[in-house]
Amino acid sequence: MHRSASRLTRILACAAVPVMLVVAGCSSDSGSKKESDASSSSAPGAKKSVAAVAPAKFAELPDPCKAISTKTITSLVPKAKSKAGSPATSSDTSARAGCSWNGLDDNGVKGSQYRWLDVGFTRFDSDQALGSGAKRAADDLTKQLAKTRTAEGAKKIAESPVSGIGEQATKVTYDLNKTGEDFKYATIVARTGNAVVTLTYNGAGYAGAKTPSGADILKDAEKAAKEAVAAVADANAAADDKQSSPSASPSKSSKSSN
């Protein structure tokens, strides 16, 4: 009887071994899976990369009163009060600048011709939150055109794209009666890179003088606008040349003294 009980104990012990191995194996698999899941859940989520905005093309604006040649000023405003122009007030001329000229060409009994020319520059930097300088300039161009269209008292407003001035440009013409005379207006709003150029030219005949042709006013405005747009690139080219010139870098003597 004792021998039978001892034998039974040994059989049960041997039978239990595979069961324990299986349980241990399952426990090991389960632990690996939990660790894998924990590792996956603890890994930081993949963030979408945000593309950097394109850098602004221009860092400078031209001197607004020198952006249009003296020859053109003399032609468009024959009797300008000041050929040097009157600069607009600006707290930051690298971002916003302007200049204007006006004059009355008095022809005695034949009457007088009045002319007024104004040019404004606005430059936009690229901003990760606001967009590229070029995009911000394009948005401003749209705003400037909307403002021009709503000029108080304007009549016969006409608007259309114009080629050959910057990367995009639009011309707006209209008639306006003020000081008892009929004025012809032409405004060109153009974008070059991250800068917007807004040029307005108008004229009227006084004391019986003939009202200037709208076509002539527009033609002269386009000519001046081309010069103003070109002045933006020239100003930045000059700035680049100045920075790259030998005089802009420290001299050998100054280096040795440091």
Side-chain angles (χ1 to χ4, degrees), residues 35-165:
E35 290 175 4
S36 176
D37 291 343
S39 175
S40 298
S41 62
S42 62
K47 295 182 179 180
K48 293 182 178 179
S49 60
V50 179
V53 296
K57 183 177 181 179
F58 299 121
E60 303 286 342
L61 287 179
D63 180 334
C65 293
K66 295 180 180 178
I68 301 173
S69 69
T70 301
K71 181 180 179 180
T72 298
I73 295 299
T74 301
S75 174
L76 271 59
V77 190
K79 297 293 182 179
K81 293 179 181 179
S82 172
K83 289 291 193 296
S86 301
T89 302
S90 175
S91 59
D92 184 2
T93 53
S94 68
R96 188 179 298 274
C99 192
S100 62
W101 300 259
N102 70 85
L104 183 69
D105 185 5
D106 190 348
N107 295 307
V109 295
K110 294 182 179 180
S112 304
Q113 289 289 335
Y114 176 81
R115 296 291 185 273
W116 183 79
L117 175 66
D118 178 87
V119 63
F121 297 87
T122 309
R123 187 185 64 82
F124 297 88
D125 287 320
S126 291
D127 186 285
Q128 192 64 40
L130 301 176
S132 68
K135 179 186 179 301
R136 296 177 67 195
D139 292 341
D140 185 68
L141 181 145
T142 300
K143 293 178 182 178
Q144 294 300 326
L145 287 173
K147 188 185 300 183
T148 301
R149 291 188 211 105
T150 57
E152 186 177 356
K155 300 177 181 178
K156 299 180 180 178
I157 302 174
E159 177 181 334
S160 62
V162 55
S163 61
I165 304 178

Side-chain angles (χ1 to χ4, degrees), residues 177-191:
N177 184 282
K178 60 181 183 178
T179 63
E181 304 296 341
D182 294 323
F183 279 72
K184 295 290 184 180
Y185 273 76
T187 294
I188 308 294
V189 185
R191 179 182 70 82

